[in-house]
Amino acid sequence: MNKKAILLIICGLIFTICPFIYNVYTIFRLISLLIGIIFLSLGFTYQKKNKPLKFSILIIFIFIIIFGLDTCLVRYFNRIPILSSKIKSSNKVATYNSFFYRVYDCNGSLIYDPFYQKKYACDIILPEENVNSLLSHIVNNFRDYKNKFINVNGKISNISGSSSIGMQIFEIAENSINGQVKFSENITLTIINNGQLKNTEDLKIYDSINIIGRIAKIKNKGQNKEIIMKDARIINRNNYQNYDISIINNKSCETDLKLLSKTEDYTYYNNCLDSIYVKYDNENIYDLGYVLTDKRMTFDLLIRDTTKEENNNLELYQFDEFNLIKCKNSNNIIIGNKNLNLESNFCEQFTEYEAETEPGGIE
């Protein structure tokens, strides 16, 4: 073999091996590797016939071998890939995107993701950003956000079955109840669910939620914009286990009952109360009848922290500001002021037939 060919091969090996030794992501590793591939191809095809063809074939062959070696070192030895692009999502989280796989760098801990199948895989929670300020910034600076993972909090504006969740810029109305807000349709963040988001069936419009996901692309829909998020993971959602209940008493109280909510298990009535509110946080205040109907609240959850007394006809549950009666002879529940007691005769009004037809004195 010609001395020049041998020298080219030796130089090619040096330039090819060095990037594998230096385990830090830098563009110089890739440049060194490409120089090494070229030198090796030149060395092995030096003074050969049909040199251009053989040179091209050899470059492809060597590249495939090196890509396979790079992938194996990443997969089995937790090495930082050479043939990849780095996207930094925070000071502690980055992703290395290669041809057929991705690597999550979670503050130095590497997680291999073949064929881009995993949702956000790091346990590190990214800095939280509010949907109201974030969406416009993404539209105006999309190149800075493309393929970055972000942690966004806001309210759910739409749900498309199990396939996607929508979030939009919103405005909270004064004295808003039942979590309702006014959404702006100019920009929508659509979180695509490819089976990666779990337990989405209990999500509802106006729910507050935190999601970490990758900004994939922007679509133009007339004058409106749609930002597509993929590989998402729900970090936090409304915690309907923790709440406070407040009431407004009816000053001109009568003995009539008013229908509050009808669920599969119970029919709830209101007695002598103008309003009953359930407060989860400052942005999520609901009418009790609303959360009973849509199953945010259940009877067992409602009476969780109460004291109970009972007789043959009813069970009495005492709250700080009001009382609750559960009838034993029917599935009827009465919520009223502190005057409700074991001697109240509401349950005696109900029969199995009257529970369906609203007995006298019940509106």
Side-chain angles (χ1 to χ4, degrees):
M1 184 178 287
N2 188 285
K3 289 183 178 180
K4 288 186 178 180
I6 295 173
L7 183 60
L8 285 170
I9 292 172
I10 292 173
C11 290
L13 288 172
I14 292 172
F15 278 103
T16 302
I17 293 172
C18 284
F20 290 101
I21 297 174
Y22 190 58
N23 190 38
V24 174
Y25 183 84
T26 171
I27 190 65
F28 296 110
R29 295 174 75 204
L30 179 59
I31 293 172
S32 175
L33 189 64
L34 293 177
I35 292 173
I37 292 173
I38 293 172
F39 278 11
L40 286 173
S41 300
L42 288 172
F44 283 115
T45 59
Y46 191 77
Q47 291 184 339
K48 300 284 185 180
K49 294 181 179 179
N50 299 319
K51 182 175 178 179
L53 177 62
K54 291 180 180 179
F55 178 78
S56 301
I57 293 173
L58 194 57
I59 279 185
I60 296 172
F61 179 72
I62 295 174
F63 181 85
I64 291 172
I65 292 176
I66 289 177
F67 176 73
L69 176 62
D70 190 35
T71 303
C72 288
L73 291 174
V74 170
R75 176 68 180 87
Y76 298 106
F77 297 97
N78 287 327
R79 305 287 290 181
I80 294 174
I82 302 171
L83 299 170
S84 65
S85 63
K86 180 180 180 180
I87 305 293
K88 194 172 181 179
S89 298
S90 75
N91 291 332
K92 294 183 178 180
V93 175
T95 50
Y96 302 102
N97 302 313
S98 191
F99 296 104
F100 304 110
Y101 66 89
R102 167 174 55 198
V103 177
Y104 289 92
D105 186 344
C106 311
N107 199 24
S109 177
L110 302 183
I111 299 174
Y112 179 70
D113 178 19
F115 303 107
Y116 293 76
Q117 294 180 329
K118 295 181 185 291
K119 59 186 177 182
Y120 179 72
C122 296
D123 291 330
I124 299 169
I125 303 301
L126 296 172
E128 188 176 298
E129 301 190 58
N130 188 273
V131 69
N132 286 344
S133 57
L134 178 66
L135 297 192
S136 297
H137 203 258
I138 291 177
V139 170
N140 295 329
N141 303 274
F142 180 68
R143 291 183 63 181
D144 295 336
Y145 283 92
K146 187 175 182 181
N147 288 324
K148 284 182 64 174
F149 282 87
I150 60 170
N151 177 6
V152 57
N153 76 77
K155 284 183 174 288
I156 296 176
S157 60
N158 61 78
I159 300 173
S160 299
S162 60
S163 63
S164 68
I165 299 169
M167 297 174 72
Q168 294 173 330
I169 295 170
F170 65 90
E171 181 180 350
I172 301 175
E174 207 173 320
N175 300 320
S176 172
I177 63 168
N178 298 335
Q180 295 185 6
V181 297
K182 183 179 180 181
F183 290 110
S184 170
E185 298 183 355
N186 292 340
I187 308 173
T188 300
L189 175 65
T190 299
I191 299 99
I192 304 298
N193 182 15
N194 293 323
Q196 297 170 324
L197 296 177
K198 305 299 182 184
N199 302 319
T200 59
E201 63 278 356
D202 60 340
L203 293 175
K204 298 175 177 64
I205 304 297
Y206 303 120
D207 273 3
S208 295
I209 194 169
N210 269 73
I211 290 184
I212 292 182
R214 177 176 60 87
I215 301 300
K217 59 184 176 180
I218 289 183
K219 292 182 178 179
N220 292 316
K221 291 193 169 183
Q223 295 182 339
N224 299 330
K225 303 285 187 181
E226 182 182 22
I227 303 169
I228 304 299
M229 174 183 278
K230 297 183 177 181
D231 306 327
R233 178 175 127 196
I234 296 175
I235 301 301
N236 193 19
R237 64 177 76 188
N238 276 107
N239 183 359
Y240 295 118
Q241 302 299 309
N242 300 316
Y243 60 86
D244 294 313
I245 295 182
S246 61
I247 64 162
I248 299 177
N249 280 297
N250 188 331
K251 294 180 180 179
S252 58
C253 175
E254 300 178 359
T255 58
D256 291 346
L257 301 180
K258 295 183 178 180
L259 183 65
L260 181 66
S261 174
K262 191 165 186 176
T263 68
E264 294 177 0
D265 300 316
Y266 301 105
T267 301
Y268 295 83
Y269 292 94
N270 176 2
N271 173 245
C272 293
L273 299 177
D274 269 345
S275 304
I276 312 171
Y277 295 119
V278 181
K279 180 179 180 180
Y280 296 103
D281 56 46
N282 290 333
E283 292 185 1
N284 293 279
I285 301 173
Y286 294 84
D287 181 82
L288 177 60
Y290 185 94
V291 293
L292 286 168
T293 301
D294 76 358
K295 301 180 182 178
R296 285 178 170 91
M297 179 69 73
T298 64
F299 175 73
D300 290 337
L301 183 57
L302 180 62
I303 64 167
R304 179 181 59 188
D305 299 319
T306 61
T307 58
K308 172 185 172 183
E309 300 178 42
E310 62 182 309
N311 59 25
N312 291 333
N313 295 322
L314 58 86
E315 298 173 358
L316 175 68
Y317 296 90
Q318 299 187 47
F319 296 75
D320 291 336
E321 297 182 312
F322 62 93
N323 287 347
L324 179 151
I325 286 175
K326 179 177 182 291
C327 298
K328 288 187 175 181
N329 64 345
S330 65
N331 292 329
N332 295 296
I333 293 171
I334 301 98
I335 301 173
N337 60 25
K338 296 298 287 187
N339 291 330
L340 283 181
N341 56 58
L342 290 173
E343 303 303 319
S344 299
N345 65 353
F346 290 115
C347 291
E348 296 173 4
Q349 298 181 44
F350 294 104
T351 65
E352 195 170 323
Y353 173 77
E354 289 170 335
E356 297 292 329
T357 58
E358 296 186 351
I362 299 175
E363 297 180 355

